[in-house]
Amino acid sequence: MAAPVSVVCTQRESSAEGHAEIMANHSQRTQSLVRGQFSHTLCPGGLQVDGGITDELCDANVLHRAHLGITLVIVLEGMLEFAYDGHTYRCDARHQPQALAVSVGRDSTFRRRLIEGNHLKKVNILLPPEWLNGYADEQALPLLSGLHRHHLGYVRWQPSTSILDSIRALLPSINRQHEADPLTQHLHALTIIKYLCDQAAHLIIEPVIEHIPTTHEPQVAKAVAYIETKLHTALTLSTIAHACGLSRSTLQRRFRTHLGVPVSDYIRRRRLAVVKEKLLHEAISIGEAAYWAGYHHPSNFVTAFKRQFGMTPGQLIQSHTRAV
């Protein structure tokens, strides 16, 4: 199977019928990537609302600079996969709506994966730094204030039926006369933001172990990339060092220097982070989670999980169930 094409330069072309296409400009030709309906509203304070009902026409990765701030990503239908600087986020709304709030605190590269045949219905609400600095203080909106301090941190949340009308109101309409005016769009966006913040007691800000840039320390970055593709296997320091062309002692020393942790700690933390997502979204048992994370005894897994996340797997699942 051919790898998806990576596209850096794109443009949007609109038709009189209210449809539009996202196009990729290659050296010799123009390719259609996405076709559908799009909407964009700029609200007071720099708040931005984007809606889309689209069909993806090919497999591709679309790259561009990320917007700073917190983005609320709400997927009503279809699959969405995107990444900031190599850290991937996914929303699978084939059975029910899914949503994320993701914080970007410094310049980053954004990658959006397109999947041929994927029908996507989604809304993005961007809260830029100027809006966050004006409204999201610790007393008024503690969830957003806390998330804003975590570059690439995120909160996964579940839209309830009570908020779906406001979300759908931000989607584009074929009939221009039925589109809401900017003030109404702004009010719907604020309603969604308030709903998210009201759920703060049941939500967890997920920090991210960031991948170091390949231009900084290429061999350590190569080791990290190797580990990420082999997390589910029996990794050893020897196999990782061999894959990177380093001795075990050199790899260990460089890992401590550039990531601040030994190789084994990095692997343990990443496995626990992956298992946490599986517990929340794949309904695996605690025994299965322990096995996936490399623990022979569930009790040892529970202890390590609580040490890293401040709660046991059972408490995590219970908190997530209440939030849903």
Side-chain angles (χ1 to χ4, degrees):
M1 181 181 296
V5 63
S6 291
V7 178
V8 176
C9 187
T10 60
Q11 66 185 45
R12 184 184 298 177
E13 296 185 358
S14 301
S15 69
E17 292 77 23
H19 289 80
E21 290 190 19
I22 294 179
M23 317 288 288
N25 292 325
H26 301 287
S27 57
Q28 301 295 327
R29 61 191 177 89
T30 299
Q31 179 184 8
S32 297
L33 302 177
V34 177
R35 181 181 295 119
Q37 302 160 246
F38 303 86
S39 62
H40 174 77
T41 304
L42 181 60
C43 303
L47 199 74
Q48 297 183 43
V49 179
D50 289 278
I53 304 173
T54 59
D55 292 294
E56 295 167 6
L57 306 179
C58 63
D59 293 334
N61 291 309
V62 179
L63 310 175
H64 59 78
R65 295 293 290 275
H67 295 291
L68 297 181
I70 295 175
T71 301
L72 276 56
V73 182
I74 308 163
V75 183
L76 298 176
E77 295 179 15
M79 292 273 292
L80 177 66
E81 179 181 306
F82 60 97
Y84 294 104
D85 285 348
H87 188 82
T88 302
Y89 308 79
R90 296 181 181 87
C91 286
D92 182 352
R94 289 176 293 181
H95 302 294
Q96 62 179 348
Q98 299 285 328
L100 291 170
V102 184
S103 175
V104 178
R106 56 179 180 265
D107 285 344
S108 303
T109 299
F110 175 83
R111 175 185 60 80
R112 164 75 190 286
R113 181 189 175 202
L114 303 180
I115 305 169
E116 184 176 2
N118 184 40
H119 178 74
L120 186 65
K121 187 180 292 187
K122 74 177 181 72
V123 170
N124 283 5
I125 303 174
L126 172 65
L127 286 56
E130 58 268 28
W131 190 95
L132 292 165
N133 293 335
Y135 299 100
D137 59 61
E138 193 66 46
Q139 287 72 38
L141 300 174
L143 176 69
L144 296 180
S145 176
L147 182 59
H148 189 36
R149 293 194 294 268
H150 289 80
H151 175 57
L152 300 188
Y154 67 98
V155 170
R156 190 177 291 276
W157 55 289
Q158 182 68 53
S160 70
T161 53
S162 64
I163 201 66
L164 286 178
D165 285 344
S166 288
I167 296 170
R168 293 190 182 105
L170 299 179
L171 291 169
S173 173
I174 295 178
N175 188 336
R176 300 288 182 179
Q177 295 179 345
H178 292 168
E179 284 192 354
D181 60 88
L183 177 59
T184 302
Q185 296 273 61
H186 188 204
L187 291 175
H188 283 305
L190 293 177
T191 298
I192 296 166
I193 294 168
K194 183 179 185 303
Y195 170 85
L196 171 62
C197 293
D198 286 345
Q199 311 303 309
H202 306 299
L203 300 176
I204 303 168
I205 295 175
E206 308 280 0
V208 169
I209 300 174
E210 296 183 47
H211 294 240
I212 61 171
T214 56
T215 55
H216 181 68
E217 172 46 77
Q219 287 173 304
V220 177
K222 185 176 181 180
V224 168
Y226 179 83
I227 291 169
E228 291 295 323
T229 61
K230 304 286 186 179
L231 272 177
H232 60 290
T233 68
L235 283 166
T236 67
L237 185 62
S238 296
T239 58
I240 300 167
H242 178 74
C244 301
L246 298 173
S247 68
R248 294 171 54 186
S249 59
T250 300
L251 174 63
Q252 192 75 280
R253 184 176 65 253
R254 292 188 182 182
F255 234 79
R256 287 180 179 274
T257 299
H258 295 283
L259 294 182
V261 293
V263 175
S264 60
D265 280 9
Y266 180 88
I267 295 170
R268 175 180 55 79
R269 292 179 186 181
R270 287 295 298 127
R271 282 175 172 167
L272 288 171
V274 171
V275 161
K276 184 179 183 182
E277 288 295 304
K278 289 180 175 291
L279 284 166
L280 289 175
H281 306 293
E282 297 181 22
I284 65 173
S285 69
I286 292 177
E288 289 172 324
Y291 177 80
W292 201 101
Y295 291 85
H296 297 294
H297 301 288
S299 60
N300 294 338
F301 164 69
V302 170
T303 300
F305 191 95
K306 185 174 183 179
R307 186 181 301 120
Q308 179 160 327
F309 299 113
M311 63 176 66
T312 67
Q315 290 169 335
L316 172 74
I317 295 168
Q318 188 176 41
S319 174
H320 180 71
T321 302
R322 285 200 305 269
V324 174

